[in-house]
Amino acid sequence: MSATLRFDNIGKVFPGVRALDGVSFDVHAGEVHGLMGENGAGKSTLLKILGGEYQPDSGRVLIDGNEVHFASAAASIAAGIAVIHQELQYVPDLTVAENLLLGALPSTFGWVNKREAKKHVKERLQAMGVDLDPNAKLRKLSIAQRQMVEICKALLRNARVIALDEPTSSLSHRETEVLFKLVRDLRADNRALIYISHRMDEIYELCNTCTIFRDGRKIKSHEKLADVPRETLVQEMVGREISDIYDYKPRELGPVRFSVANVEGHALNAPASFEVRRGEIVGFFGLVGAGRSELMHLVYGADKKKAGTIELDGKPIKVRSTGEAIRNGIVLCPEDRKEEGVIAMATVAENINISCRRHYLHGGFFLDRKKEAQTAERFIKLLKIKTPSRKQKIRFLSGGNQQKAILSRWLAEPDLKVVILDEPTRGIDVGAKHEIYNVIYQLAERGCAIVMISSELPEVLGVSDRIVVMRQGRIAGELPRAQANEQSVLSLALPQSDTTAKAA
């Protein structure tokens, strides 16, 4: 039986980087084909070729045995292909319905029929089991909801070949379950699917087959994934064995370094208080919408708090803006790296140095370019950022390498006291996660107070000294590492009705 989709010896070169080198594999109808590999291995580049954003420098793409050439995304869509990228593609000031039907909005004599658009979208969303308001502006939605819009957009096109790049990276548990059902339904409907994820559980749960990438090359294709041990996949991905990805490092904790008392503000349903000691890693866990990011925005000065006090090393401080937070040694790596993290048109070096640049000024006017270059090179090497040079535009890097550059930005600050990490490993491969955890441990060893927000419960359990759990806009409780397990954390995170139902 001929493959629905075939990549035949695909090659792609960017300035200074061979992104893909002779990649070949098949995807059949009724199959979910997993793609795994470290950040920068070439997975997303391959999907952009399939989606018509890039054209291959060598090799062929074949659909049903016929060679195809996609000069644009529109050409790929017209051929029955839908690609859901890791970096979301949406128009923030349009509604859910308008985003879903973009390019195919119903019209009468050139005027968009909004009523018809809303009716059509509402019916299709209900059929898919997705709870979204067709009239809601994308700007008003959470990242998880925007992710679901992107997924639904591809499904509405009724495509034969569907590729998903880290589709659950921002989804709640319930939304993930909806997605999994959709993927299984599509497989049963004889569609050909490509599924990229760094979450091993998802790959094994959804995929029949799997291909491993490393450094732009195909390492191995597994025709029966269920027979392949997880350790084998990890070793093929990273080229070495990683026995314990978290590699937790206990350390002696100092006195309280960061104290937040009775903070009130947007999205919080009760005053919030917590503290972090010197050298301590406090994990914040909660379901999507629990208020974790919103609380950190309040203490970081990104949002205005209505009440509450903040102390640093026992002394009250004012944090009315992000600038004041940074000057006090408090930094935040945001969840949404695309909108709140990277400066897409700037270089890797500029993105790393943008905060600490004030320390490289002579006489307040003259910038020490040599120091900037040294700082960028140091952190590119330390965090193993895959880039041809520090002068490369950051938008050309993979999502995981962009995340490392944002982390480098704050590591370059000379007097760090408090580091807030919001989903620091979202969309990042297992090898890079291991490296980032080691950086977090090193910061803790230096005496920094670390706050780490994560939606991945194994990560929170694996890295944290103590876990604070939020539920519905309030702190529901906290657990020391020795008492924390999946059941105890989830019992605090789930609404009471859900907890009761789960127990029943």
Side-chain angles (χ1 to χ4, degrees), residues 165-269:
D165 191 354
E166 294 288 349
T168 65
S169 60
S170 296
L171 299 187
S172 68
H173 178 69
R174 286 175 180 168
E175 289 163 330
T176 298
E177 287 182 338
V178 171
L179 173 67
F180 282 10
K181 182 182 182 301
L182 291 172
V183 170
R184 292 188 185 103
D185 289 347
L186 289 165
R187 182 174 64 191
D189 196 33
N190 227 29
R191 314 290 178 91
L193 294 103
I194 295 175
Y195 194 94
I196 295 178
S197 178
H198 293 305
R199 297 177 178 178
M200 204 76 74
D201 289 342
E202 292 182 12
I203 293 292
Y204 275 94
E205 185 166 344
L206 293 177
C207 301
N208 319 76
T209 57
C210 181
T211 293
I212 307 299
F213 278 36
R214 188 167 75 235
D215 298 327
R217 297 182 178 89
K218 185 188 88 169
I219 300 301
K220 185 85 178 277
S221 282
H222 297 283
E223 296 303 319
K224 195 173 181 183
L225 180 60
D227 293 342
V228 183
R230 297 184 179 215
E231 296 76 16
T232 299
L233 293 188
V234 172
Q235 193 160 1
E236 288 172 349
M237 283 169 57
V238 302
R240 63 189 189 281
E241 186 176 346
I242 296 179
S243 55
D244 179 7
I245 183 176
Y246 303 114
D247 194 20
Y248 174 75
K249 294 177 172 60
R251 72 209 76 81
E252 189 174 336
L253 306 183
V256 172
R257 165 143 262 192
F258 187 53
S259 178
V260 174
N262 300 313
V263 163
E264 298 179 35
H266 173 68
L268 296 184
N269 294 323

Side-chain angles (χ1 to χ4, degrees), residues 91-147:
V91 184
D93 290 315
L94 293 183
T95 66
V96 169
E98 289 165 339
N99 270 276
L100 289 176
L101 296 176
L102 204 59
L105 284 161
S107 60
T108 305
F109 302 115
W111 294 91
V112 173
N113 189 331
K114 292 187 177 182
R115 181 179 295 179
E116 181 63 27
K118 177 186 171 184
K119 180 174 179 290
H120 175 66
V121 166
K122 189 174 183 179
E123 289 172 353
R124 293 299 301 272
L125 290 178
Q126 285 176 345
M128 288 187 283
V130 177
D131 184 20
L132 285 170
D133 178 5
N135 290 323
K137 293 280 182 75
L138 264 286
R139 190 179 294 282
K140 301 290 186 180
L141 302 185
S142 68
I143 294 176
Q145 290 171 319
R146 296 176 201 175
Q147 186 100 338

Side-chain angles (χ1 to χ4, degrees), residues 436-447:
I436 286 177
Y437 298 148
N438 281 328
V439 171
I440 293 172
Y441 297 140
Q442 288 167 22
L443 287 169
E445 289 285 353
R446 281 168 45 184

Side-chain angles (χ1 to χ4, degrees), residues 302-322:
D303 289 334
K304 188 176 181 181
K305 64 181 186 292
K306 296 176 183 175
T309 59
I310 299 172
E311 290 186 359
L312 190 62
D313 293 326
K315 297 179 181 178
I317 59 170
K318 297 286 186 184
V319 183
R320 292 160 296 196
S321 68
T322 56

